Amino acid sequence: MPTNPSSSAAAVWAVLRKECLSEWRTRYGLNAALLFAITSLAAVSFSIGRLGDRSDVLAGLLWIVLLFAALASLAHAFVREVEGRTLTMLRLVAAPTAIAIGKLLFNFLFLALIEVVTVPLFLMLMGAPAPRWGSFLALLALGSVGLAIASTVVGAIISQTRGRGALFAGTSFPLLLPVVAAAVSGTRAQWNGGSVDAELRLLAAYAVALLAMSLLLYDHLWED
């Protein structure tokens, strides 16, 4: 870890590296998220079969699976520091914003890894039509950014509270709803041959606004 809090880039890299190594040692979060996603997809595919051209149902199911797979693990971004009693050390060696950005980048990489496994499996099991890959990947990327930002800031808020699981679900829902709604709408539109420009702009604007708000809050959350 860098000892100079002013070296923000080094602090962000150090936090990101620490998060990756911690997850790799246990793989608890990754295994939980993948197990949830695969089990959910298998249960849905056996229950209702291949949906073919039902783009409205396909888009909703895809983002519901991704959302709950993410929520199964991303809530622990700051909780691990509290439970492992390493929060004080992080406060001493890096600025709160640098720590939060490092954890945000880890959450985004975590979501990307989940999607690498889940999305092809979803397309195969549900019999989904071939997506328009440019629009589809852009929606996945911006939707994942929004999910990662919201999960990181909510994780910081609830990390030192009791009943963290229930609080995370209740607190994150209002922040995640616009992301999921825009992502579902855009995913449905790209399967139907429509434009997704409006949804992409909404996801990008929301991610920027949420990131700016969270960066302003991290210093105060850290002190409290």
Side-chain angles (χ1 to χ4, degrees):
M1 282 287 195
T3 57
N4 184 2
S6 65
S7 56
S8 299
V12 169
W13 169 249
V15 173
L16 174 60
R17 183 173 179 273
K18 181 191 77 68
E19 292 294 311
C20 292
L21 289 174
S22 297
E23 181 59 37
W24 179 251
R25 287 191 188 104
T26 63
R27 291 186 284 278
Y28 170 78
L30 181 62
N31 290 339
L34 287 176
L35 181 61
F36 176 87
I38 293 172
T39 303
S40 300
L41 288 177
V44 170
S45 64
F46 281 117
S47 299
I48 63 178
R50 298 162 68 86
L51 293 173
D53 59 354
R54 291 293 307 275
S55 59
D56 52 345
V57 181
L58 287 169
L61 282 175
L62 173 61
W63 282 98
I64 287 172
V65 170
L66 292 178
L67 172 64
F68 284 99
L71 293 183
S73 301
L74 296 188
H76 303 288
F78 287 87
V79 173
R80 279 197 297 260
E81 309 298 345
V82 175
E83 295 177 345
R85 302 181 185 276
T86 57
L87 192 59
T88 301
M89 183 192 71
L90 284 179
R91 288 174 173 173
L92 292 174
V93 300
T97 301
I99 295 169
I101 292 175
K103 289 182 177 290
L104 168 60
L105 291 175
F106 169 77
N107 283 346
F108 177 74
L109 292 176
F110 185 91
L111 284 173
L113 184 57
I114 296 299
E115 289 164 2
V116 166
V117 177
T118 303
V119 172
L121 189 61
F122 177 89
L123 296 176
M124 180 182 66
L125 290 178
M126 303 308 299
R132 290 158 46 199
W133 286 107
S135 299
F136 186 66
L137 292 177
L139 288 164
L140 279 177
L142 287 176
S144 299
V145 169
L147 290 178
I149 295 172
S151 300
T152 304
V153 68
V154 174
I157 292 171
I158 58 95
S159 61
Q160 300 187 69
T161 62
R162 296 180 180 178
R164 289 186 285 262
L167 279 175
F168 184 83
T171 307
S172 61
F173 180 75
L175 295 177
L176 296 175
L177 183 59
V179 177
V180 175
V184 169
S185 175
T187 304
R188 182 177 64 247
Q190 64 85 29
W191 265 319
N192 291 335
S195 173
V196 299
D197 291 344
E199 287 82 2
L200 290 175
R201 286 195 296 268
L202 177 58
L203 286 170
Y206 187 76
V208 170
L210 189 58
L211 178 61
M213 179 273 294
S214 61
L215 292 178
L216 291 174
L217 289 177
Y218 281 129
D219 286 338
H220 302 288
L221 291 173
W222 216 257
E223 293 171 359
D224 296 336

